[in-house]
Amino acid sequence: MADACTLTGADRAGRWVVTCDHASNRVPVEVADGDLGLPAQDMARHIAYDVGALGVAEALGAALDAPVVASTYSRLVIDPNRGEDDPTLLMQVYDGSIIPANRGVDPAEVERRLALYHRPYHAMISEVLAARDDPLIVSVHSFTPQFVGRPPRPWHIGVLYAEDRRLATPLIDRLIVEGDLCVGDNAPYSGQLPGDALDRHGIQAGRKHVLVELRNDLIETPTQQAAWGKRLAGVLEDARAHADL
């Protein structure tokens, strides 16, 4: 389990639990000898991981006195933020780039990667959540300012949710009050993704949860990541208190 994910702050006592599904662009040696066949510049961009998200998640966890569960391998190895039957669980083409080592992968290889890298991550999240009374989940992601051949994205931050808006609505309201942010309400993506991490650990379990997306050009450096982690901690706590959660 430890090899598929990391747990920081296991002894922190806060109600919040921070997750980071796409924290790393590493490829384990057990998968295609550690090389998916992509050039380094592709492995360094958003198709391989959520740029800057781990640093924000770690800073946020410290500020909230919350544990942080983070994946340790690239989303291109197997995507922990997808259900096991999702067609995008193992991407073969992403934002204009073909992933050679994923072309023609058979069901046995998908099952092997699920067992090694996907299920242990979710087992760790379940274990951390089960140890807390009425935990609040916040999942930290980042998004690219622009897909290849698409218009630029105006949002600085997005708040994603499905049918449970107990945290999302007060958080969006609080972020708008900040006054300097273009806030996405279920944008740049929709939170309606059956089988994803928050569907599994939030909706299906009845736990309060929210997913935060930050535009990755705003969190490129450790200084930016630390600042955003601290800022998010404040607005999350304000939103929780306002909603009396």
Side-chain angles (χ1 to χ4, degrees):
M1 182 181 295
D3 192 47
C5 55
T6 59
L7 172 60
T8 303
D11 58 349
R12 292 173 181 165
R15 279 180 65 197
W16 291 96
V17 172
V18 181
T19 63
C20 192
D21 302 325
H22 302 144
S24 174
N25 61 354
R26 293 174 57 212
V27 179
V29 69
E30 296 84 6
V31 173
D33 294 322
D35 186 350
L36 295 176
L38 287 167
Q41 59 266 33
D42 267 344
M43 291 302 298
R45 69 190 188 100
H46 74 99
I47 67 169
Y49 75 124
D50 282 357
V51 178
L54 179 60
V56 174
E58 290 176 337
L60 178 60
L64 291 173
D65 193 30
V68 180
V69 184
S71 63
T72 53
Y73 294 114
S74 172
R75 65 188 301 168
L76 297 179
V77 172
I78 197 90
D79 194 331
N81 194 36
R82 297 293 185 271
E84 293 193 10
D85 59 352
D86 192 297
T88 64
L89 176 69
L90 199 154
M91 296 290 282
Q92 298 188 27
V93 181
Y94 194 2
D95 195 21
S97 293
I98 295 171
I99 298 90
N102 288 350
R103 297 301 294 264
V105 166
D106 61 23
E109 175 62 9
V110 174
E111 173 61 28
R112 188 179 77 92
R113 295 191 199 182
L114 281 167
L116 288 173
Y117 312 115
H118 190 281
R119 294 175 188 142
Y121 174 69
H122 289 286
M124 177 66 79
I125 295 174
S126 295
E127 181 180 318
V128 171
L129 290 168
R132 281 166 168 74
D133 183 29
D134 194 21
L136 307 169
I137 311 170
V138 55
S139 184
V140 179
H141 289 247
S142 72
F143 64 94
T144 182
Q146 186 173 12
F147 275 122
V148 174
R150 306 269 188 91
R153 290 160 152 179
W155 307 281
H156 300 107
I157 187 169
V159 177
L160 275 56
Y161 55 89
E163 63 263 27
D164 185 347
R165 298 191 56 155
R166 288 176 291 177
L167 271 171
T169 294
L171 179 57
I172 290 168
D173 292 345
R174 180 61 184 80
L175 287 166
I176 290 172
V177 168
E178 294 280 287
D180 63 336
L181 298 173
C182 180
V183 181
D185 183 336
N186 249 354
Y189 309 107
S190 169
Q192 299 278 355
L193 190 62
D196 72 355
L198 287 185
D199 179 60
R200 178 172 181 165
H201 299 288
I203 293 172
Q204 294 180 30
R207 297 187 182 103
K208 305 169 190 75
H209 61 279
V210 71
L211 189 151
V212 175
E213 289 267 6
L214 286 162
R215 206 175 68 203
N216 67 28
D217 60 329
L218 304 177
I219 53 171
E220 292 175 330
T221 70
T223 298
Q224 291 172 316
Q225 293 158 20
W228 268 104
K230 183 176 180 180
R231 184 176 186 178
L232 282 176
V235 295
L236 282 164
E237 274 293 277
D238 284 353
R240 178 200 59 75
H242 181 76
D244 194 26
L245 297 176

